[in-house]
mmCIF file of all heavy atoms in Angstrom:
data_model
loop_
_atom_site.group_PDB
_atom_site.id
_atom_site.type_symbol
_atom_site.label_atom_id
_atom_site.label_comp_id
_atom_site.label_asym_id
_atom_site.label_seq_id
_atom_site.Cartn_x
_atom_site.Cartn_y
_atom_site.Cartn_z
ATOM 1 N N PHE A 1 -3.143 62.677 2.792
ATOM 2 C CA PHE A 1 -3.146 61.400 3.510
ATOM 3 C C PHE A 1 -4.523 60.780 3.441
ATOM 4 O O PHE A 1 -5.517 61.418 3.054
ATOM 5 C CB PHE A 1 -2.720 61.582 4.968
ATOM 6 C CG PHE A 1 -3.628 62.446 5.790
ATOM 7 C CD1 PHE A 1 -4.677 61.902 6.528
ATOM 8 C CD2 PHE A 1 -3.447 63.824 5.840
ATOM 9 C CE1 PHE A 1 -5.518 62.694 7.283
ATOM 10 C CE2 PHE A 1 -4.284 64.627 6.605
ATOM 11 C CZ PHE A 1 -5.318 64.056 7.331
ATOM 12 N N LYS A 2 -4.590 59.490 3.868
ATOM 13 C CA LYS A 2 -5.843 58.748 3.860
ATOM 14 C C LYS A 2 -6.039 58.038 5.200
ATOM 15 O O LYS A 2 -5.072 57.666 5.866
ATOM 16 C CB LYS A 2 -5.847 57.710 2.737
ATOM 17 C CG LYS A 2 -5.777 58.303 1.331
ATOM 18 C CD LYS A 2 -5.782 57.204 0.283
ATOM 19 C CE LYS A 2 -5.715 57.815 -1.123
ATOM 20 N NZ LYS A 2 -5.732 56.768 -2.179
ATOM 21 N N ILE A 3 -7.292 57.868 5.550
ATOM 22 C CA ILE A 3 -7.665 57.008 6.674
ATOM 23 C C ILE A 3 -8.809 56.118 6.218
ATOM 24 O O ILE A 3 -9.464 56.400 5.209
ATOM 25 C CB ILE A 3 -8.089 57.809 7.924
ATOM 26 C CG1 ILE A 3 -9.393 58.566 7.647
ATOM 27 C CG2 ILE A 3 -6.992 58.756 8.391
ATOM 28 C CD1 ILE A 3 -10.038 59.133 8.906
ATOM 29 N N SER A 4 -9.051 55.050 6.948
ATOM 30 C CA SER A 4 -10.156 54.147 6.649
ATOM 31 C C SER A 4 -11.212 54.260 7.737
ATOM 32 O O SER A 4 -10.893 54.335 8.928
ATOM 33 C CB SER A 4 -9.673 52.697 6.562
ATOM 34 O OG SER A 4 -8.742 52.545 5.507
ATOM 35 N N ILE A 5 -12.464 54.274 7.327
ATOM 36 C CA ILE A 5 -13.570 54.283 8.276
ATOM 37 C C ILE A 5 -13.950 52.837 8.566
ATOM 38 O O ILE A 5 -14.199 52.047 7.653
ATOM 39 C CB ILE A 5 -14.783 55.050 7.719
ATOM 40 C CG1 ILE A 5 -14.371 56.470 7.320
ATOM 41 C CG2 ILE A 5 -15.913 55.079 8.730
ATOM 42 C CD1 ILE A 5 -13.832 57.309 8.454
ATOM 43 N N GLY A 6 -13.965 52.473 9.832
ATOM 44 C CA GLY A 6 -14.296 51.110 10.208
ATOM 45 C C GLY A 6 -15.793 50.857 10.160
ATOM 46 O O GLY A 6 -16.608 51.779 10.108
ATOM 47 N N ASP A 7 -16.134 49.581 10.181
ATOM 48 C CA ASP A 7 -17.539 49.174 10.211
ATOM 49 C C ASP A 7 -17.915 48.982 11.676
ATOM 50 O O ASP A 7 -17.823 47.885 12.231
ATOM 51 C CB ASP A 7 -17.717 47.884 9.411
ATOM 52 C CG ASP A 7 -19.182 47.567 9.125
ATOM 53 O OD1 ASP A 7 -20.053 48.249 9.699
ATOM 54 O OD2 ASP A 7 -19.435 46.646 8.336
ATOM 55 N N LEU A 8 -18.316 50.068 12.292
ATOM 56 C CA LEU A 8 -18.565 50.088 13.731
ATOM 57 C C LEU A 8 -19.847 49.355 14.074
ATOM 58 O O LEU A 8 -20.879 49.535 13.418
ATOM 59 C CB LEU A 8 -18.648 51.544 14.210
ATOM 60 C CG LEU A 8 -18.761 51.795 15.713
ATOM 61 C CD1 LEU A 8 -17.503 51.334 16.429
ATOM 62 C CD2 LEU A 8 -19.005 53.281 15.965
ATOM 63 N N THR A 9 -19.799 48.529 15.107
ATOM 64 C CA THR A 9 -20.977 47.800 15.562
ATOM 65 C C THR A 9 -21.184 48.057 17.043
ATOM 66 O O THR A 9 -20.282 48.495 17.754
ATOM 67 C CB THR A 9 -20.832 46.284 15.328
ATOM 68 O OG1 THR A 9 -19.786 45.774 16.175
ATOM 69 C CG2 THR A 9 -20.503 45.988 13.889
ATOM 70 N N THR A 10 -22.373 47.753 17.522
ATOM 71 C CA THR A 10 -22.673 47.938 18.934
ATOM 72 C C THR A 10 -22.230 46.715 19.724
ATOM 73 O O THR A 10 -21.962 45.651 19.174
ATOM 74 C CB THR A 10 -24.173 48.154 19.148
ATOM 75 O OG1 THR A 10 -24.886 47.039 18.609
ATOM 76 C CG2 THR A 10 -24.638 49.428 18.442
ATOM 77 N N ARG A 11 -22.178 46.878 21.031
ATOM 78 C CA ARG A 11 -21.823 45.760 21.881
ATOM 79 C C ARG A 11 -22.912 44.697 21.832
ATOM 80 O O ARG A 11 -24.099 45.008 21.868
ATOM 81 C CB ARG A 11 -21.653 46.235 23.332
ATOM 82 C CG ARG A 11 -20.479 47.155 23.570
ATOM 83 C CD ARG A 11 -20.526 47.643 25.007
ATOM 84 N NE ARG A 11 -19.319 48.373 25.366
ATOM 85 C CZ ARG A 11 -19.166 49.671 25.183
ATOM 86 N NH1 ARG A 11 -20.131 50.379 24.620
ATOM 87 N NH2 ARG A 11 -18.051 50.276 25.559
ATOM 88 N N LYS A 12 -22.489 43.451 21.777
ATOM 89 C CA LYS A 12 -23.462 42.362 21.837
ATOM 90 C C LYS A 12 -23.828 42.040 23.282
ATOM 91 O O LYS A 12 -24.944 41.640 23.570
ATOM 92 C CB LYS A 12 -22.912 41.112 21.151
ATOM 93 C CG LYS A 12 -23.005 41.161 19.630
ATOM 94 C CD LYS A 12 -22.817 39.779 19.040
ATOM 95 C CE LYS A 12 -23.115 39.784 17.543
ATOM 96 N NZ LYS A 12 -23.018 38.443 16.957
ATOM 97 N N ALA A 13 -22.865 42.205 24.159
ATOM 98 C CA ALA A 13 -23.125 41.869 25.554
ATOM 99 C C ALA A 13 -24.077 42.884 26.173
ATOM 100 O O ALA A 13 -23.983 44.077 25.912
ATOM 101 C CB ALA A 13 -21.809 41.847 26.337
ATOM 102 N N ARG A 14 -24.986 42.415 26.996
ATOM 103 C CA ARG A 14 -25.867 43.311 27.722
ATOM 104 C C ARG A 14 -25.080 43.972 28.845
ATOM 105 O O ARG A 14 -24.119 43.418 29.372
ATOM 106 C CB ARG A 14 -27.036 42.535 28.302
ATOM 107 C CG ARG A 14 -27.965 41.961 27.260
ATOM 108 C CD ARG A 14 -29.080 41.188 27.931
ATOM 109 N NE ARG A 14 -29.842 42.031 28.845
ATOM 110 C CZ ARG A 14 -30.756 41.548 29.705
ATOM 111 N NH1 ARG A 14 -30.970 40.248 29.766
ATOM 112 N NH2 ARG A 14 -31.416 42.362 30.492
ATOM 113 N N PRO A 15 -25.506 45.173 29.261
ATOM 114 C CA PRO A 15 -24.842 45.796 30.410
ATOM 115 C C PRO A 15 -24.896 44.892 31.624
ATOM 116 O O PRO A 15 -25.879 44.191 31.852
ATOM 117 C CB PRO A 15 -25.659 47.074 30.632
ATOM 118 C CG PRO A 15 -26.334 47.344 29.332
ATOM 119 C CD PRO A 15 -26.584 46.003 28.714
ATOM 120 N N VAL A 16 -23.823 44.896 32.394
ATOM 121 C CA VAL A 16 -23.788 44.104 33.613
ATOM 122 C C VAL A 16 -24.639 44.806 34.669
ATOM 123 O O VAL A 16 -24.429 45.972 34.974
ATOM 124 C CB VAL A 16 -22.344 43.943 34.122
ATOM 125 C CG1 VAL A 16 -22.329 43.213 35.452
ATOM 126 C CG2 VAL A 16 -21.516 43.188 33.091
ATOM 127 N N GLU A 17 -25.617 44.101 35.198
ATOM 128 C CA GLU A 17 -26.451 44.645 36.254
ATOM 129 C C GLU A 17 -25.938 44.071 37.568
ATOM 130 O O GLU A 17 -26.186 42.920 37.917
ATOM 131 C CB GLU A 17 -27.915 44.278 36.019
ATOM 132 C CG GLU A 17 -28.474 44.877 34.725
ATOM 133 C CD GLU A 17 -29.904 44.451 34.465
ATOM 134 O OE1 GLU A 17 -30.456 43.715 35.290
ATOM 135 O OE2 GLU A 17 -30.456 44.863 33.430
ATOM 136 N N LEU A 18 -25.199 44.893 38.304
ATOM 137 C CA LEU A 18 -24.581 44.416 39.529
ATOM 138 C C LEU A 18 -25.650 44.219 40.603
ATOM 139 O O LEU A 18 -26.405 45.132 40.918
ATOM 140 C CB LEU A 18 -23.528 45.418 40.002
ATOM 141 C CG LEU A 18 -22.390 45.646 38.994
ATOM 142 C CD1 LEU A 18 -21.469 46.734 39.488
ATOM 143 C CD2 LEU A 18 -21.617 44.359 38.766
ATOM 144 N N PRO A 19 -25.739 43.042 41.170
ATOM 145 C CA PRO A 19 -26.805 42.763 42.144
ATOM 146 C C PRO A 19 -26.521 43.413 43.491
ATOM 147 O O PRO A 19 -25.366 43.588 43.889
ATOM 148 C CB PRO A 19 -26.762 41.229 42.259
ATOM 149 C CG PRO A 19 -25.333 40.881 41.961
ATOM 150 C CD PRO A 19 -24.878 41.876 40.927
ATOM 151 N N ASN A 20 -27.559 43.754 44.195
ATOM 152 C CA ASN A 20 -27.440 44.314 45.535
ATOM 153 C C ASN A 20 -27.445 43.156 46.533
ATOM 154 O O ASN A 20 -28.380 42.966 47.295
ATOM 155 C CB ASN A 20 -28.602 45.270 45.803
ATOM 156 C CG ASN A 20 -28.439 46.014 47.110
ATOM 157 O OD1 ASN A 20 -27.397 45.978 47.729
ATOM 158 N ND2 ASN A 20 -29.504 46.682 47.533
ATOM 159 N N VAL A 21 -26.374 42.375 46.478
ATOM 160 C CA VAL A 21 -26.299 41.170 47.305
ATOM 161 C C VAL A 21 -24.930 41.112 47.967
ATOM 162 O O VAL A 21 -24.059 41.931 47.730
ATOM 163 C CB VAL A 21 -26.530 39.893 46.471
ATOM 164 C CG1 VAL A 21 -27.913 39.900 45.860
ATOM 165 C CG2 VAL A 21 -25.474 39.771 45.379
ATOM 166 N N GLY A 22 -24.750 40.104 48.783
ATOM 167 C CA GLY A 22 -23.465 39.917 49.429
ATOM 168 C C GLY A 22 -23.639 39.778 50.927
ATOM 169 O O GLY A 22 -24.722 39.974 51.478
ATOM 170 N N ARG A 23 -22.540 39.476 51.598
ATOM 171 C CA ARG A 23 -22.601 39.263 53.049
ATOM 172 C C ARG A 23 -22.085 40.460 53.838
ATOM 173 O O ARG A 23 -22.031 40.428 55.054
ATOM 174 C CB ARG A 23 -21.785 38.025 53.403
ATOM 175 C CG ARG A 23 -22.407 36.729 52.904
ATOM 176 C CD ARG A 23 -21.510 35.560 53.199
ATOM 177 N NE ARG A 23 -20.354 35.535 52.304
ATOM 178 C CZ ARG A 23 -19.296 34.741 52.467
ATOM 179 N NH1 ARG A 23 -19.255 33.924 53.511
ATOM 180 N NH2 ARG A 23 -18.314 34.761 51.619
ATOM 181 N N GLY A 24 -21.678 41.513 53.139
ATOM 182 C CA GLY A 24 -21.114 42.657 53.834
ATOM 183 C C GLY A 24 -22.164 43.522 54.501
ATOM 184 O O GLY A 24 -23.351 43.482 54.170
ATOM 185 N N ASN A 25 -21.707 44.333 55.454
ATOM 186 C CA ASN A 25 -22.598 45.225 56.176
ATOM 187 C C ASN A 25 -22.846 46.500 55.370
ATOM 188 O O ASN A 25 -22.047 46.896 54.524
ATOM 189 C CB ASN A 25 -22.006 45.586 57.533
ATOM 190 C CG ASN A 25 -21.896 44.384 58.451
ATOM 191 O OD1 ASN A 25 -22.735 43.488 58.400
ATOM 192 N ND2 ASN A 25 -20.862 44.359 59.278
ATOM 193 N N VAL A 26 -23.954 47.149 55.693
ATOM 194 C CA VAL A 26 -24.355 48.382 55.038
ATOM 195 C C VAL A 26 -24.510 49.465 56.102
ATOM 196 O O VAL A 26 -25.015 49.201 57.195
ATOM 197 C CB VAL A 26 -25.683 48.193 54.273
ATOM 198 C CG1 VAL A 26 -26.190 49.525 53.724
ATOM 199 C CG2 VAL A 26 -25.502 47.198 53.138
ATOM 200 N N GLN A 27 -24.068 50.662 55.793
ATOM 201 C CA GLN A 27 -24.236 51.782 56.705
ATOM 202 C C GLN A 27 -25.626 52.399 56.542
ATOM 203 O O GLN A 27 -26.119 52.527 55.420
ATOM 204 C CB GLN A 27 -23.191 52.860 56.434
ATOM 205 C CG GLN A 27 -21.753 52.386 56.561
ATOM 206 C CD GLN A 27 -20.776 53.496 56.261
ATOM 207 O OE1 GLN A 27 -20.722 54.511 56.963
ATOM 208 N NE2 GLN A 27 -19.993 53.327 55.205
ATOM 209 N N THR A 28 -26.224 52.795 57.652
ATOM 210 C CA THR A 28 -27.498 53.523 57.626
ATOM 211 C C THR A 28 -27.386 54.722 58.558
ATOM 212 O O THR A 28 -26.646 54.684 59.558
ATOM 213 C CB THR A 28 -28.669 52.640 58.065
ATOM 214 O OG1 THR A 28 -28.424 52.141 59.390
ATOM 215 C CG2 THR A 28 -28.861 51.475 57.105
ATOM 216 N N PHE A 29 -28.122 55.762 58.219
ATOM 217 C CA PHE A 29 -28.058 57.005 58.980
ATOM 218 C C PHE A 29 -29.468 57.536 59.207
ATOM 219 O O PHE A 29 -30.262 57.630 58.257
ATOM 220 C CB PHE A 29 -27.234 58.057 58.237
ATOM 221 C CG PHE A 29 -25.894 57.556 57.758
ATOM 222 C CD1 PHE A 29 -25.676 57.342 56.404
ATOM 223 C CD2 PHE A 29 -24.877 57.279 58.656
ATOM 224 C CE1 PHE A 29 -24.455 56.882 55.952
ATOM 225 C CE2 PHE A 29 -23.650 56.807 58.206
ATOM 226 C CZ PHE A 29 -23.434 56.600 56.853
ATOM 227 N N ALA A 30 -29.768 57.904 60.433
ATOM 228 C CA ALA A 30 -31.094 58.439 60.750
ATOM 229 C C ALA A 30 -31.357 59.735 60.002
ATOM 230 O O ALA A 30 -32.490 60.004 59.583
ATOM 231 C CB ALA A 30 -31.214 58.665 62.262
ATOM 232 N N THR A 31 -30.320 60.537 59.826
ATOM 233 C CA THR A 31 -30.492 61.832 59.164
ATOM 234 C C THR A 31 -30.526 61.722 57.652
ATOM 235 O O THR A 31 -31.001 62.632 56.963
ATOM 236 C CB THR A 31 -29.335 62.780 59.553
ATOM 237 O OG1 THR A 31 -28.090 62.135 59.233
ATOM 238 C CG2 THR A 31 -29.384 63.107 61.031
ATOM 239 N N ARG A 32 -30.004 60.639 57.103
ATOM 240 C CA ARG A 32 -29.974 60.448 55.645
ATOM 241 C C ARG A 32 -30.422 59.045 55.295
ATOM 242 O O ARG A 32 -29.618 58.192 54.881
ATOM 243 C CB ARG A 32 -28.552 60.709 55.105
ATOM 244 C CG ARG A 32 -28.062 62.144 55.220
ATOM 245 C CD ARG A 32 -28.923 63.125 54.417
ATOM 246 N NE ARG A 32 -29.028 62.775 53.018
ATOM 247 C CZ ARG A 32 -28.203 63.238 52.064
ATOM 248 N NH1 ARG A 32 -27.225 64.051 52.382
ATOM 249 N NH2 ARG A 32 -28.392 62.888 50.805
ATOM 250 N N PRO A 33 -31.710 58.767 55.432
ATOM 251 C CA PRO A 33 -32.193 57.416 55.096
ATOM 252 C C PRO A 33 -32.059 57.094 53.617
ATOM 253 O O PRO A 33 -32.198 55.927 53.230
ATOM 254 C CB PRO A 33 -33.664 57.465 55.527
ATOM 255 C CG PRO A 33 -34.022 58.923 55.520
ATOM 256 C CD PRO A 33 -32.782 59.635 55.940
ATOM 257 N N ASP A 34 -31.780 58.114 52.795
ATOM 258 C CA ASP A 34 -31.607 57.888 51.359
ATOM 259 C C ASP A 34 -30.236 57.334 51.015
ATOM 260 O O ASP A 34 -30.008 56.907 49.878
ATOM 261 C CB ASP A 34 -31.823 59.201 50.600
ATOM 262 C CG ASP A 34 -30.892 60.307 51.075
ATOM 263 O OD1 ASP A 34 -30.714 60.459 52.302
ATOM 264 O OD2 ASP A 34 -30.338 61.028 50.228
ATOM 265 N N LEU A 35 -29.311 57.336 51.976
ATOM 266 C CA LEU A 35 -27.950 56.856 51.726
ATOM 267 C C LEU A 35 -27.710 55.542 52.455
ATOM 268 O O LEU A 35 -27.925 55.448 53.669
ATOM 269 C CB LEU A 35 -26.920 57.887 52.188
ATOM 270 C CG LEU A 35 -26.973 59.266 51.523
ATOM 271 C CD1 LEU A 35 -25.869 60.151 52.075
ATOM 272 C CD2 LEU A 35 -26.870 59.147 50.010
ATOM 273 N N GLU A 36 -27.232 54.526 51.716
ATOM 274 C CA GLU A 36 -26.897 53.229 52.304
ATOM 275 C C GLU A 36 -25.604 52.706 51.681
ATOM 276 O O GLU A 36 -25.596 51.718 50.948
ATOM 277 C CB GLU A 36 -28.032 52.220 52.100
ATOM 278 C CG GLU A 36 -29.292 52.534 52.884
ATOM 279 C CD GLU A 36 -30.320 51.421 52.793
ATOM 280 O OE1 GLU A 36 -30.144 50.519 51.946
ATOM 281 O OE2 GLU A 36 -31.280 51.438 53.568
ATOM 282 N N PRO A 37 -24.481 53.345 51.952
ATOM 283 C CA PRO A 37 -23.215 52.862 51.402
ATOM 284 C C PRO A 37 -22.751 51.603 52.118
ATOM 285 O O PRO A 37 -23.152 51.338 53.257
ATOM 286 C CB PRO A 37 -22.265 54.023 51.670
ATOM 287 C CG PRO A 37 -22.816 54.679 52.904
ATOM 288 C CD PRO A 37 -24.313 54.551 52.775
ATOM 289 N N PRO A 38 -21.916 50.816 51.468
ATOM 290 C CA PRO A 38 -21.345 49.660 52.169
ATOM 291 C C PRO A 38 -20.432 50.113 53.299
ATOM 292 O O PRO A 38 -19.869 51.211 53.258
ATOM 293 C CB PRO A 38 -20.560 48.934 51.069
ATOM 294 C CG PRO A 38 -20.273 49.987 50.048
ATOM 295 C CD PRO A 38 -21.431 50.927 50.084
ATOM 296 N N SER A 39 -20.293 49.274 54.293
ATOM 297 C CA SER A 39 -19.414 49.585 55.415
ATOM 298 C C SER A 39 -17.952 49.498 54.989
ATOM 299 O O SER A 39 -17.594 48.787 54.049
ATOM 300 C CB SER A 39 -19.669 48.617 56.565
ATOM 301 O OG SER A 39 -20.978 48.770 57.063
ATOM 302 N N VAL A 40 -17.108 50.222 55.707
ATOM 303 C CA VAL A 40 -15.668 50.210 55.475
ATOM 304 C C VAL A 40 -14.976 49.980 56.812
ATOM 305 O O VAL A 40 -15.342 50.581 57.828
ATOM 306 C CB VAL A 40 -15.182 51.536 54.855
ATOM 307 C CG1 VAL A 40 -13.673 51.513 54.663
ATOM 308 C CG2 VAL A 40 -15.890 51.792 53.531
ATOM 309 N N THR A 41 -13.982 49.119 56.823
ATOM 310 C CA THR A 41 -13.231 48.808 58.042
ATOM 311 C C THR A 41 -11.769 49.166 57.849
ATOM 312 O O THR A 41 -11.152 48.749 56.856
ATOM 313 C CB THR A 41 -13.335 47.315 58.379
ATOM 314 O OG1 THR A 41 -14.713 46.968 58.552
ATOM 315 C CG2 THR A 41 -12.562 46.991 59.652
ATOM 316 N N VAL A 42 -11.206 49.944 58.756
ATOM 317 C CA VAL A 42 -9.769 50.234 58.759
ATOM 318 C C VAL A 42 -9.122 49.353 59.824
ATOM 319 O O VAL A 42 -9.512 49.380 60.992
ATOM 320 C CB VAL A 42 -9.498 51.722 59.042
ATOM 321 C CG1 VAL A 42 -8.013 51.965 59.303
ATOM 322 C CG2 VAL A 42 -9.980 52.570 57.867
ATOM 323 N N THR A 43 -8.145 48.562 59.419
ATOM 324 C CA THR A 43 -7.487 47.631 60.345
ATOM 325 C C THR A 43 -6.137 48.121 60.835
ATOM 326 O O THR A 43 -5.658 47.660 61.865
ATOM 327 C CB THR A 43 -7.300 46.267 59.652
ATOM 328 O OG1 THR A 43 -6.526 46.448 58.456
ATOM 329 C CG2 THR A 43 -8.642 45.663 59.278
ATOM 330 N N THR A 44 -5.518 49.040 60.092
ATOM 331 C CA THR A 44 -4.201 49.562 60.463
ATOM 332 C C THR A 44 -4.153 51.048 60.162
ATOM 333 O O THR A 44 -4.521 51.473 59.066
ATOM 334 C CB THR A 44 -3.075 48.855 59.680
ATOM 335 O OG1 THR A 44 -3.143 47.448 59.904
ATOM 336 C CG2 THR A 44 -1.707 49.377 60.101
ATOM 337 N N ALA A 45 -3.695 51.840 61.135
ATOM 338 C CA ALA A 45 -3.492 53.275 60.928
ATOM 339 C C ALA A 45 -2.338 53.711 61.818
ATOM 340 O O ALA A 45 -2.523 54.081 62.977
ATOM 341 C CB ALA A 45 -4.755 54.060 61.244
ATOM 342 N N LYS A 46 -1.123 53.643 61.296
ATOM 343 C CA LYS A 46 0.082 53.894 62.073
ATOM 344 C C LYS A 46 0.680 55.263 61.744
ATOM 345 O O LYS A 46 0.397 55.835 60.685
ATOM 346 C CB LYS A 46 1.125 52.816 61.774
ATOM 347 C CG LYS A 46 0.727 51.412 62.208
ATOM 348 C CD LYS A 46 1.835 50.418 61.881
ATOM 349 C CE LYS A 46 1.468 49.010 62.325
ATOM 350 N NZ LYS A 46 2.542 48.026 61.996
#
């Protein structure tokens, strides 16, 4: 059998650099100041 080798190229687009912005709240912890995850809200738990 045969296969063809493609002419592989790199991505032209630059990596997306997601900004640390927005209006949402951030969690902070006195014991772990190195962690700042976004807040999460549960509205229903039945």
Side-chain angles (χ1 to χ4, degrees):
F1 63 92
K2 296 180 180 181
I3 67 168
S4 298
I5 304 299
D7 193 351
L8 186 65
T9 67
T10 57
R11 293 175 171 88
K12 281 196 172 183
R14 294 179 59 190
V16 175
E17 297 177 1
L18 300 175
N20 187 11
V21 298
R23 291 176 286 169
N25 295 326
V26 173
Q27 301 179 63
T28 58
F29 310 108
T31 55
R32 294 298 304 268
D34 57 316
L35 300 181
E36 292 187 348
S39 296
V40 178
T41 301
V42 169
T43 58
T44 303
K46 295 181 179 179

